[in-house]
Amino acid sequence: MVKKTIVRLIVSLLAFVLLYYVVTQYGLSDPTSKGLLHVKLSEPDFSLSPWIYVLYAHIVTACLAVAIGPFQLFIKPKRRGVRLHRVLGYIYVASIYISGLVSIYLCIFATGGWKAGLGFFSLDILWMASTWIAIRQAVKKNITAHREWMLRSYALTLAAVSFRVWLMLATPLFGDQFLSAYQLSAWLCWVGNLVFMELFIVMTRKKKGIQTGSGLNLR
């Protein structure tokens, strides 16, 4: 119970940090003066439009998914709350698919070239795929499997947070090789999250004595 509470606190804190960063970076200050936009504008022959509009579509929908996640994953819906759970679930899924699809366009122009772009593209595909599998499990009434796949989905959603953490940690290690740090972070941000969440799922299964099975209700 204590471990679960710690994980919930960490996840909620990460979600809050990302939302705070986005609001201050893109809402309360000039985003072109620092951060990603500043780096992109310094690239030769870079066209701000339509890239900037796609970026904002990606940011808004991704942040919506980040904000909804903790309520969906860590608050068990009571009988009266099932409908709200479903509505929020629809919004979460729609946000992921919009954000994931437009992000594929952003991958083409990723800072760090094809190495970073491939990392982000892999993230997008796994993000949408894990969410789709979670939906399928819900349709099959496979509740435990549905929850596990949603946990994986949200782990990938939080890659938006862990990317910035990894970039902050990797940049000093690479010195003036910022692009190398960026490329590495594009992969670590989601691989690390998936590993952490998979360990959490395995520990939860062992504690509850759950065995996996194809097409079975695991609850």
Side-chain angles (χ1 to χ4, degrees):
M1 183 65 182
V2 175
K3 291 181 179 179
K4 282 189 176 182
T5 301
I6 293 175
V7 172
R8 292 171 183 174
L9 289 174
I10 292 174
V11 169
S12 300
L13 178 61
L14 290 175
F16 173 79
V17 168
L18 176 66
L19 296 175
Y20 175 79
Y21 169 83
V22 170
V23 170
T24 55
Q25 175 73 24
Y26 295 95
L28 302 179
S29 62
D30 180 10
T32 62
S33 63
K34 54 185 176 180
L36 177 61
L37 283 180
H38 180 70
V39 174
K40 296 300 292 185
L41 289 174
S42 65
E43 295 178 2
D45 302 324
F46 174 72
S47 177
L48 188 61
S49 179
W51 181 88
I52 184 63
Y53 302 110
V54 179
L55 175 66
Y56 272 99
H58 170 65
I59 289 174
V60 170
T61 49
C63 284
L64 186 57
V66 168
I68 291 174
F71 297 97
Q72 290 295 89
L73 295 175
F74 302 131
I75 299 178
K76 187 176 181 179
K78 297 180 180 179
R79 186 177 300 273
R80 294 181 179 179
V82 171
R83 183 175 181 181
L84 177 61
H85 179 81
R86 289 176 179 172
V87 171
L88 290 177
Y90 294 145
I91 298 174
Y92 175 80
V93 171
S95 299
I96 286 177
Y97 271 86
I98 294 173
S99 187
L101 289 173
V102 300
S103 182
I104 294 176
Y105 168 85
L106 298 174
C107 292
I108 300 174
F109 304 96
T111 301
W114 69 268
K115 293 181 181 179
L118 182 59
F120 290 131
F121 177 78
S122 301
L123 165 60
D124 292 331
I125 298 302
L126 291 174
W127 193 24
M128 292 185 287
S130 61
T131 305
W132 171 250
I133 295 173
I135 296 171
R136 294 294 300 167
Q137 295 298 335
V139 171
K140 295 177 182 179
K141 306 298 182 182
N142 209 343
I143 304 304
T144 299
H146 165 69
R147 184 175 183 275
E148 290 181 351
W149 279 102
M150 273 301 181
L151 285 170
R152 296 183 180 103
S153 169
Y154 195 64
L156 294 171
T157 300
L158 288 179
V161 182
S162 55
F163 169 74
R164 286 158 178 81
V165 174
W166 280 112
L167 185 61
M168 181 179 62
L169 296 174
T171 298
L173 298 178
F174 285 90
D176 58 351
Q177 299 297 318
F178 173 77
L179 292 183
S180 296
Y182 196 94
Q183 292 166 349
L184 180 63
S185 300
W187 290 89
L188 290 179
C189 68
W190 60 269
V191 173
N193 285 12
L194 275 186
V195 171
F196 174 84
M197 190 57 72
E198 203 62 37
L199 291 174
F200 175 75
I201 291 172
V202 169
M203 288 189 297
T204 302
R205 285 177 182 171
K206 288 182 177 179
K207 187 175 181 180
K208 293 183 177 181
I210 296 174
Q211 296 181 348
T212 59
S214 177
L216 298 177
N217 191 324
L218 305 178
R219 194 169 183 176

